[in-house]
């Protein structure tokens, strides 16, 4: 039965346990199901909402003021044009404000409407965040109807029926359909993103599980010609391109599910001796290929203020993280060295092989959340490729 919300709300978040949060609908109309997580970043919301790693998730922003820098055509992270291959919804404390930034060409709410992203404002995001911290990330439906009419029973049933991210391979949908070469470099103020990228020194094949543009920009900026290939590409096809290195990209979903077809190919790439660098989902699947396990986290790591220690140098860096699964550090086999660790909860944040040019990190070194603490990892990868000849 369709019910009229007497409060005048035009948006709702309906959790699988029947909890209903009412507010003001923002962006696209309709409804979308997903896992609710919170993100602690103060800005970068456009990059967050277009990060393919957030596919099938609804993001609650803990920072109360969102929208003031607007949106633009440059800060879209996903390579695919389909909005379904990034975040399904967004939750805000306040209604997104009007843009006040020289780079903006659109307001956030209008941009979300055009992309099909459903938003909900006026929610107590602090209480929602505490709930996630205490009970884990819930399955939910976010809905927006300007008339304020919602079939709450149907929305609860939809949230309950959703199976969640465990066992879900989303990389196949976030990945490209055919190989392509990327040639844009990192941002250089005030000109913008470097065009063209520096003359390539290395040929790098990127396994696309849901690649972010800025990873490709960081690669080209250390001298790589980045050739992006679909997630299902075989190791034989990758090695036939004679790359100096292989990058395993970030992406959404359960690493064990994507690993059903990706892990055997990653294992072959490692055995070939070619330098391998993994990021986020790529880190998790590399760990699986080396004999470790991955597990689902209760609330995950989502934000731009996470302290991570590089155990190889002793330095602490502030990084951007976005993952709901983690590598079980106790499952790392003997040939693997733990190189990075989260200082928030002690979970694994990086590994390397002792006898091969292979390493990976859980965080996003390309994201530069204010500091550029982690860009050195791309230089480390370049040095590996140099040493490998």
């Amino acid at each position: 039965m369709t019910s009229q919300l007497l409060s005048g709300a035009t948006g709702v978040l309906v959790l699988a346990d029947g909890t209903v949060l009412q507010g003001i609908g923002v962006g696209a109309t309709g409804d979308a199901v997903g896992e609710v997580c919170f993100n602690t970043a103060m800005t970068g919301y456009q990059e967050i909402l277009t990060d393919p790693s957030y596919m099938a998730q609804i993001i609650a922003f803990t920072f109360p003021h969102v929208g003031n820098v607007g949106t633009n055509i440059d800060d879209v992270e996903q390579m695919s044009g389909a909005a379904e291959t990034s975040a399904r919804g967004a939750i805000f404390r306040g209604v997104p404000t009007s843009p006040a930034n020289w780079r903006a060409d659109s307001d956030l709410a209008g941009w979300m409407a055009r992309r099909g992203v459903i938003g909900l404002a006026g929610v107590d995001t602090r209480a929602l965040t505490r709930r996630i911290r205490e009970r884990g990330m819930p399955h939910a439906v976010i809905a927006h109807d300007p008339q304020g009419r919602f079939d709450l029973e149907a929305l609860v049933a939809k949230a309950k029926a959703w199976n969640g991210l465990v066992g879900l391979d989303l990389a196949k949908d976030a990945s490209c359909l055919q190989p392509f070469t990327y040639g844009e470099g990192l941002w250089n103020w005030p000109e913008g993103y470097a065009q063209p990228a520096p003359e390539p020194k290395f040929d790098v094949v990127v396994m696309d599980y849901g690649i972010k543009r800025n990873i490709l920009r960081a690669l080209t900026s250390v001298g790589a010609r980045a050739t992006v290939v679909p997630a299902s590409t075989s190791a034989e096809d990758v090695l036939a391109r004679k790359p100096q290195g292989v990058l395993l990209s970030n992406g959404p979903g359960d690493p064990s599910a994507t690993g059903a077809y990706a892990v055997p190919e990653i294992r072959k790439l490692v055995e070939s001796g070619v330098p391998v660098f993994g990021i986020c989902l790529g880190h998790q699947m590399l760990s699986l290929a080396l004999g470790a396990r991955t597990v689902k986290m209760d609330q995950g790591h989502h934000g731009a203020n996470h302290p991570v220690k590089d155990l190889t140098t002793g330095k602490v860096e502030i990084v951007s993280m976005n993952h709901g699964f983690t590598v079980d550090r106790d499952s790392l086999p003997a040939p693997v060295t733990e190189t990075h660790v989260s200082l928030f909860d002690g979970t694994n944040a990086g590994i390397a092989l002792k006898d091969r040019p292979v390493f990976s990190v859980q965080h996003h070194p390309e994201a530069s959340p204010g500091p550029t603490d982690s860009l050195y990892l791309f230089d480390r990868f370049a040095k590996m490729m140099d040493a490998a000849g």
Side-chain angles (χ1 to χ4, degrees):
M1 183 181 84
T2 301
S3 59
Q4 177 72 44
L5 293 181
L6 300 179
S7 66
T10 57
V12 293
L13 180 72
V14 181
L15 308 188
D17 67 1
T19 300
V20 177
L21 304 181
Q22 303 179 17
I24 303 166
V26 176
T29 57
D31 63 76
V33 65
E35 177 185 83
V36 183
C37 66
F38 63 85
N39 187 295
T40 57
M42 294 174 64
T43 186
Y45 49 80
Q46 183 180 0
E47 292 93 329
I48 292 166
L49 289 173
T50 58
D51 180 352
S53 297
Y54 277 115
M55 191 173 172
Q57 290 184 293
I58 300 165
I59 306 166
F61 288 89
T62 62
F63 193 67
H65 308 295
V66 177
N68 60 312
V69 299
T71 64
N72 61 69
I73 61 172
D74 290 326
D75 291 347
V76 174
E77 283 291 349
Q78 70 190 116
M79 298 301 301
S80 166
E84 291 79 9
T85 59
S86 53
R88 299 305 302 124
I91 304 167
F92 312 111
R93 175 64 186 92
V95 176
T97 55
S98 299
N101 185 277
W102 66 276
R103 296 180 65 227
D105 55 34
S106 176
D107 66 288
L108 178 58
W111 176 85
M112 289 173 60
R114 291 190 296 275
R115 285 185 56 82
V117 180
I118 299 169
L120 174 65
V123 172
D124 186 346
T125 51
R126 179 175 292 183
L128 179 59
T129 298
R130 291 189 63 174
R131 180 190 177 102
I132 293 171
R133 285 181 58 86
E134 293 168 0
R135 307 185 197 178
M137 295 178 284
H139 298 175
V141 174
I142 187 170
H144 173 200
D145 180 355
Q147 303 304 314
R149 301 187 68 85
F150 303 96
D151 186 340
L152 297 180
E153 290 185 3
L155 295 179
V156 170
K158 186 173 183 177
K160 285 183 177 179
W162 190 59
N163 291 325
L165 294 177
V166 175
L168 193 59
D169 171 29
L170 293 173
K172 65 180 184 300
D173 296 320
S175 179
C176 61
L177 298 178
Q178 58 186 12
F180 65 92
T181 301
Y182 193 85
E184 189 174 60
L186 285 171
W187 175 268
N188 183 30
W189 189 88
E191 291 84 8
Y193 294 112
Q195 290 284 359
E199 185 66 27
K201 182 179 181 181
F202 313 105
D203 281 308
V204 175
V205 171
V206 178
M207 301 296 291
D208 180 13
Y209 307 119
I211 188 72
K212 290 176 63 181
R213 289 179 189 269
N214 225 40
I215 291 177
L216 299 177
R217 295 181 184 118
L219 268 181
T220 64
S221 294
V222 295
R225 177 187 290 107
T227 300
V228 185
V229 300
S232 59
T233 303
S234 69
E236 289 78 12
D237 287 346
V238 170
L239 296 174
R241 295 178 179 272
K242 301 189 184 303
Q244 277 77 53
V246 175
L247 186 137
L248 311 174
S249 86
N250 66 294
D254 187 338
S256 295
T258 302
Y261 58 85
V263 161
E265 306 308 315
I266 294 172
R267 194 173 290 125
K268 294 175 189 175
L269 293 172
V270 170
E271 292 170 353
S272 75
V274 65
V276 175
F277 177 21
I279 295 175
C280 198
L281 179 65
H283 160 70
Q284 295 164 359
M285 292 198 298
L286 175 63
S287 299
L288 290 173
L290 298 176
R293 296 188 301 271
T294 57
V295 294
K296 186 75 166 64
M297 304 176 78
D298 288 334
Q299 63 263 359
H301 288 165
H302 308 280
N305 55 352
H306 286 245
V308 164
K309 186 172 184 177
D310 184 343
L311 301 177
T312 68
T313 64
K315 293 182 178 180
V316 175
E317 52 205 88
I318 302 301
V319 307
S320 177
M321 279 197 171
N322 173 22
H323 62 107
F325 293 81
T326 188
V327 175
D328 180 0
R329 64 188 308 194
D330 294 329
S331 72
L332 294 172
V336 178
T337 298
E338 185 173 53
T339 60
H340 294 74
V341 62
S342 166
L343 296 185
F344 271 162
D345 59 10
T347 53
N348 173 263
I351 62 168
L353 273 183
K354 297 177 181 179
D355 57 350
R356 293 179 186 270
V358 174
F359 75 108
S360 62
V361 290
Q362 181 62 76
H363 50 285
H364 282 265
E366 84 292 339
S368 303
T372 55
D373 292 6
S374 301
L375 283 177
Y376 72 91
L377 290 165
F378 292 95
D379 293 316
R380 185 177 289 182
F381 186 38
K383 289 176 182 177
M384 278 188 174
M385 292 188 285
D386 254 334

